[in-house]
Amino acid sequence: MLGIIKTYTNTSRIGSPAVRKPPPGSPPPAPTIAADAGRLNRLFWAWKLLLILIAVLSPGPGYDTSTDLWLASDRDTDTVPWTAWPAQRLVSRFVRWDALYFATSSARGHQTEQEWAFSRPHAAFTSLVAKFIPHFLHPSLLVHNALAGIVVSHLAHLGAVLVLYLLVRSVVPSSEQRKAKIAYTAACLHIVSPAGIFLSAPYGEASYAFWSFLGAFCYINTTKPRQSDTTITVWYVLSGFSFGCSALVRSNGVLNGIIFAADAGVFLHRYLTRAGNDKTLLSMTRYIAAGSLTGLGFVLPQLLAYLEYCTGANTRPWCTALPPSIYTFVQSHYWNVGLFNYWTLSNAPLFLLATPMLVIFFSTAYTALHHGHVGSEPEKIHVQQTKSKDPDEEPFKAAMFVHVMRRLALPQLLLAVLALSSFHVQIVNRISSGYPLWYIMLAMAVHVGADPSAGKNYTVGRYALVSRFGKWSGVVARWTVRLMVIYPIVQAGLFASFLPPA
């Protein structure tokens, strides 16, 4: 098993998808999407099997007995047939930390206030999936819902891998061969994401990543040339809807709305400095519609909680706050989330643990915003034309890539600032899994390290994550990938034993 993982995650291999050897003298063909999807699917399940084996074979109940007490609360787990043992063993290792809340809410709905910190729509969906879990696997309703959460996480993660592949392949301004290599590499990096076993357990991270990547993919399609205004509007609405679904799963999905706010701000500036027209109104309408759909994903659960806790004779302290957000209240009241609340000496090891991902988040966001700071589209196109030595780097596509990277940098940068200042900082290692920007830039760095000629592409060369390290950039990229592979393996054993970090 380790041999398979090592083969597929070798940094020189993940930059080079399998293709048929071309006839002598002809350029190598780009691998088909189906061929790369097949290889990604095999790598995905090999990696998942490794993490499952590590978790299931972890000894003992762990230092916390919450899962055992949770299972004991269901009378159907008292005496189970031997055929149900594999399911119970799997659940006993995967229902750790917040997964207890997700699985419990899936089985019986939200019943306590603090459970509103976890996605009610996601719990409702896994509850629906649980109805299709065969009874012979286990008689317990709790186990069925936990298994449903595990199934949803695996399928959502696989979907996110494939969407990320399509996203990167559609946005990189280079030849089909190079785009395919970078897209394949980025998808492989998401498979071995530092989120690790959290993308397999009954958490919302995998579903969030799927909807977040789908929203970004739809947004990228709004920049494609030769589209009607109606088509562009449809892509904007689909992007806003997908980001809204991501906000239903994890509240930080609402940060993606800044993408549409930035577009609206730029367009409003142009409107105020030159005469408007009908297209101006249509453009503002699509930005507002997409942003509203994104915000709705955050507001809707708050509204449902308000109707449950703040109407009639019911009342809670947060009901009179402005705005009356149950999510903000429970995070602060039950988990002490707030500005600089986590900045204590005892939490220093957790800040150290989060430092590599925070560095990647800040550096990639800065690079995207800094390199993309060009005044106008014609100026961007001129920069690409004059500096690129790659004939396949079409100027318009390069300019659109710059635009997209700047937009994707905004929610990532906001999340990094919030994680550093207000969140339980260590969770950045798992919630980072749903942000495509850093995968793209690290994939470029791996590709440039394996094939120095890729640096001739002006866009690929300057957006590669570690391009400033010069001749050492390839070494830094390879070691970054190796650490990404090692960390989830260690994490899986710790998680299964109910040990931090969570």
Side-chain angles (χ1 to χ4, degrees):
M1 177 59 63
L2 288 174
I4 295 173
I5 296 295
K6 181 178 180 180
T7 299
Y8 272 91
T9 57
N10 182 280
T11 52
S12 62
R13 183 182 177 93
I14 65 176
S16 305
V19 295
R20 292 181 180 274
K21 188 175 181 179
S26 63
T32 64
I33 292 176
D36 277 356
R39 295 186 68 226
L40 288 170
N41 185 58
R42 292 191 295 273
L43 172 60
F44 177 87
W45 291 113
W47 176 251
K48 289 296 185 182
L49 181 58
L50 174 62
L51 295 184
I52 290 172
L53 288 174
I54 292 172
V56 169
L57 296 177
S58 295
Y63 87 97
D64 192 303
T65 58
S66 297
T67 303
D68 294 333
L69 295 174
W70 176 77
L71 288 171
S73 68
D74 190 339
R75 287 176 299 175
D76 289 332
T77 62
D78 290 343
T79 56
V80 297
W82 67 269
T83 54
W85 181 86
Q88 183 152 329
R89 178 73 178 185
L90 180 68
V91 167
S92 69
R93 292 298 178 266
F94 274 74
V95 178
R96 303 299 202 190
W97 301 101
D98 293 348
L100 283 163
Y101 284 101
F102 280 106
T104 303
S105 296
S106 175
R108 54 153 175 77
H110 280 27
Q111 293 186 357
T112 60
E113 188 176 55
Q114 65 265 34
E115 289 175 342
W116 285 85
F118 308 96
S119 173
R120 183 171 181 174
H122 183 72
F125 180 71
T126 56
S127 179
L128 178 63
V129 175
K131 298 181 186 304
F132 297 92
I133 300 295
H135 184 75
F136 71 83
L137 289 177
H138 202 286
S140 168
L141 178 64
L142 287 178
V143 173
H144 277 212
N145 281 270
L147 289 174
I150 294 170
V151 169
V152 169
S153 289
H154 279 78
L155 295 181
H157 188 197
L158 179 59
V161 169
L162 299 177
V163 172
L164 181 61
Y165 173 85
L166 295 174
L167 183 160
V168 179
R169 187 157 179 166
S170 66
V171 74
V172 174
S174 188
S175 65
E176 287 299 320
Q177 180 77 7
R178 180 166 290 137
K179 285 195 292 187
K181 288 183 177 181
I182 295 174
Y184 181 82
T185 304
C188 287
L189 293 174
H190 182 54
I191 290 174
V192 297
S193 165
I197 201 168
F198 290 96
L199 294 171
S200 301
Y203 271 71
E205 268 65 16
S207 296
Y208 173 81
F210 172 77
W211 288 112
S212 178
F213 292 167
L214 188 60
F217 176 74
C218 293
Y219 179 77
I220 287 168
N221 279 279
T222 67
T223 67
K224 297 296 178 66
R226 295 182 292 278
Q227 295 187 101
S228 66
D229 288 333
T230 302
T231 302
I232 295 173
T233 300
V234 169
W235 280 119
Y236 264 103
V237 170
L238 290 174
S239 179
F241 174 79
S242 298
F243 283 142
C245 289
S246 76
L248 281 173
V249 178
R250 284 200 61 91
S251 61
N252 53 284
V254 75
L255 300 179
N256 291 308
I258 196 175
I259 293 174
F260 308 119
D263 280 354
V266 170
F267 212 90
L268 186 61
H269 172 74
R270 292 177 180 174
Y271 176 78
L272 294 175
T273 54
R274 67 183 81 166
N277 51 43
D278 292 339
K279 288 188 175 182
T280 303
L281 180 61
L282 177 61
S283 296
M284 284 302 298
T285 301
R286 67 170 67 117
Y287 301 147
I288 293 172
S292 298
L293 286 170
T294 303
L296 187 63
F298 179 78
V299 172
L300 187 58
Q302 313 299 314
L303 178 60
L304 294 175
Y306 185 86
L307 293 175
E308 182 172 332
Y309 284 92
C310 305
T311 55
N314 299 323
T315 185
R316 289 292 293 151
W318 58 270
C319 294
T320 55
L322 290 176
S325 171
I326 189 173
Y327 181 79
T328 303
F329 173 78
V330 298
Q331 286 284 359
S332 173
H333 184 71
Y334 296 102
W335 281 278
N336 195 35
V337 172
L339 187 63
F340 302 126
N341 286 357
Y342 216 55
W343 285 41
T344 63
L345 185 61
S346 61
N347 288 330
L350 297 175
F351 277 90
L352 185 63
L353 183 70
T355 295
M357 185 50 64
L358 287 173
V359 169
I360 290 175
F361 255 43
F362 279 115
S363 61
T364 52
Y366 170 79
T367 299
L369 293 169
H370 173 71
H371 285 318
H373 189 65
V374 185
S376 64
E377 294 304 323
E379 185 178 353
K380 291 177 186 176
I381 293 173
H382 176 71
V383 168
Q384 303 294 337
Q385 281 180 317
T386 54
K387 293 191 176 182
S388 181
K389 297 179 182 179
D390 182 0
D392 293 311
E393 187 175 10
E394 299 178 20
F396 182 82
K397 289 183 179 180
M400 290 302 98
F401 176 83
V402 170
H403 167 78
V404 168
M405 294 292 276
R406 291 194 73 190
R407 291 295 183 266
L408 295 180
L410 296 174
Q412 180 178 296
L413 181 61
L414 271 178
L415 183 77
V417 171
L418 289 172
L420 182 61
S421 62
S422 304
F423 294 175
H424 291 188
V425 69
Q426 75 277 6
I427 73 168
V428 74
N429 287 326
R430 55 183 169 92
I431 63 178
S432 63
S433 58
Y435 292 81
L437 178 74
W438 71 274
Y439 291 113
I440 298 173
M441 296 178 69
L442 181 55
M444 288 179 169
V446 171
H447 186 54
V448 171
D451 179 15
S453 66
K456 294 180 180 179
N457 182 294
Y458 179 64
T459 304
V460 173
R462 71 176 181 161
Y463 277 91
L465 172 61
V466 290
S467 59
R468 296 183 181 181
F469 285 92
K471 66 180 182 179
W472 295 100
S473 60
V475 176
V476 174
R478 286 193 295 272
W479 274 102
T480 301
V481 174
R482 286 167 182 163
L483 290 174
M484 282 180 63
V485 173
I486 294 171
Y487 179 77
I489 292 174
V490 176
Q491 175 204 67
L494 295 174
F495 178 91
S497 298
F498 225 129
L499 293 168

